[in-house]
Amino acid sequence: MSDVTGVERRVVLVTGASSGFGRLTVESLARRGHRVFAALRDVSGRNERAAAELAAFATREEVDLRVVELDVTDQTSADRAVAAVLDAAGRLDVVVNNAGGIFPGPVEAFSADEVHRQLDVNVLGAVRVNRAALPHLREQGHGALIQVGSLSGRVTLPYTGLYSASKAALGSLTDAWHLELAPFGVESVIVEPAPYPTSIGPNSVGPADAARLSVYGENMTRFLTDLTGRQVESPDDPQTVADALVELVELPDGARPRHTVVAPEVQRQAVEALGRTADDATRVVAADMGVAASVTVGQPSTEAGIR
């Protein structure tokens, strides 16, 4: 089915839709005629206002957008949310794994429990949601998993080690899903944006160990001040990332690039070059290990850059 935009109408589930990239994406998709399920955790508590705002938006704009409760740290919640989408829409075409957070600070200052919480949302959250959706996508023979990664998954800077590790893991999982799911007609791709002014920075969580944190003193403070200042003052519009996600949703099956870098030109070119080198290495290693037949990288293209 197509609408006035001339593109195929998709059924899309977007996690972390209360604010930032997620909020912009669900609103943009709905305006273009897609059937959108905005996934939020705790819709009767901390996200009650966001849920009400999204419902009001759907009524005001006369679009097909509804809220579904989903806590990505809970497999039962993910299973229930996907089941709700299937009950309401009869199918699910695209999952956008956007839910995430950032724990800035020196790696040493974080306890293992704090590290787990960072990975639980950014990595295991996507694992849970995709695990819930994949039996249905495989059965219908088509669909797409779109992960929202970060340039930090490719380039690690100081005091963002946990976030970088989580996004690097998400990138590796995306590549694995890409290869493993291709025979079933299901795509796995990732969007990797540069820092944009969204709520993820102001809502960041630092380490509880103040004593170890203080050891890094002025060096960390200067780094975080510079990084946050640039993000807050940046003229870059986070809608650019939402537009990239919308484009990936609307592309025909089989035409989605595996990596989409959304960044200023200099950063984009550097990261795309890094990606091409990684793909070349994958081909060489796979061939040398005798498993080249199971590895198809670069189809239809590995990198698509957006400024």
Side-chain angles (χ1 to χ4, degrees):
M1 177 184 295
S2 299
D3 77 330
V4 293
T5 65
V7 299
E8 182 178 351
R9 190 184 193 213
R10 313 277 191 186
V11 176
V12 189
L13 173 65
V14 182
T15 69
S18 63
S19 62
F21 297 148
R23 179 71 167 267
L24 292 170
T25 299
V26 296
E27 292 179 353
S28 298
L29 286 168
R31 283 188 174 120
R32 289 183 62 77
H34 299 288
R35 192 166 191 182
V36 185
F37 292 82
L40 288 68
R41 62 174 175 165
D42 195 15
V43 296
S44 299
R46 62 176 292 174
N47 283 322
E48 182 177 11
R49 179 177 177 179
E53 290 172 348
L54 286 167
F57 170 86
T59 300
R60 183 176 65 254
E61 300 273 339
E62 298 182 331
V63 294
D64 196 347
L65 169 65
R66 67 180 66 185
V67 171
V68 60
E69 187 160 20
L70 197 170
D71 180 350
V72 300
T73 66
D74 183 341
Q75 185 66 60
T76 300
S77 178
D79 293 341
R80 189 164 49 238
V82 169
V85 173
L86 293 168
D87 287 344
R91 72 177 200 273
L92 174 58
D93 300 313
V94 181
V95 174
V96 179
N97 285 299
N98 169 72
I102 181 169
F103 285 28
V107 175
E108 178 193 351
F110 290 99
S111 68
D113 287 341
E114 288 173 320
V115 174
H116 180 267
R117 286 199 294 274
Q118 172 78 102
L119 299 178
D120 198 20
V121 175
N122 289 11
V123 183
L124 299 182
V127 170
R128 294 185 185 100
V129 175
N130 289 349
R131 180 174 173 81
L134 275 170
H136 310 285
L137 300 184
R138 283 190 286 102
E139 183 179 1
Q140 68 191 16
H142 71 88
L145 309 174
I146 303 175
Q147 280 64 244
V148 178
S150 169
L151 291 194
S152 295
R154 307 266 202 128
V155 179
T156 303
L157 300 175
Y159 312 116
T160 62
L162 297 193
Y163 183 70
S164 293
S166 71
K167 293 302 185 179
L170 190 61
S172 293
L173 289 171
T174 296
D175 287 345
W177 283 317
H178 177 81
L179 295 168
E180 294 167 0
L181 297 172
F184 302 101
V186 179
E187 293 177 280
S188 171
V189 302
I190 190 167
V191 173
E192 295 163 312
Y196 280 80
T198 69
S199 60
I200 191 172
N203 291 333
S204 61
V205 181
D209 191 335
R212 296 208 184 204
L213 182 62
S214 66
V215 172
Y216 292 84
E218 293 182 3
N219 290 335
M220 186 191 71
T221 300
R222 182 171 60 252
F223 173 84
L224 293 178
T225 299
D226 291 345
L227 182 64
T228 304
R230 184 192 184 284
Q231 187 178 26
V232 170
E233 297 173 3
S234 172
D236 297 328
D237 187 350
Q239 181 65 46
T240 305
V241 179
D243 292 344
L245 289 165
V246 170
E247 182 177 350
L248 285 171
V249 167
E250 294 183 347
L251 279 172
D253 293 337
R256 297 178 179 94
R258 184 158 48 91
H259 291 265
T260 299
V261 180
V262 187
E265 186 73 11
V266 172
Q267 296 181 44
R268 180 183 63 78
Q269 290 182 355
V271 172
E272 288 178 355
L274 186 63
R276 289 190 292 271
T277 300
D279 283 342
D280 289 342
T282 299
R283 294 185 184 94
V284 171
V285 171
D288 194 57
M289 292 176 64
V291 295
S294 297
V295 177
T296 304
V297 294
Q299 298 296 327
S301 65
T302 59
E303 305 282 346
I306 298 174
R307 176 174 168 72

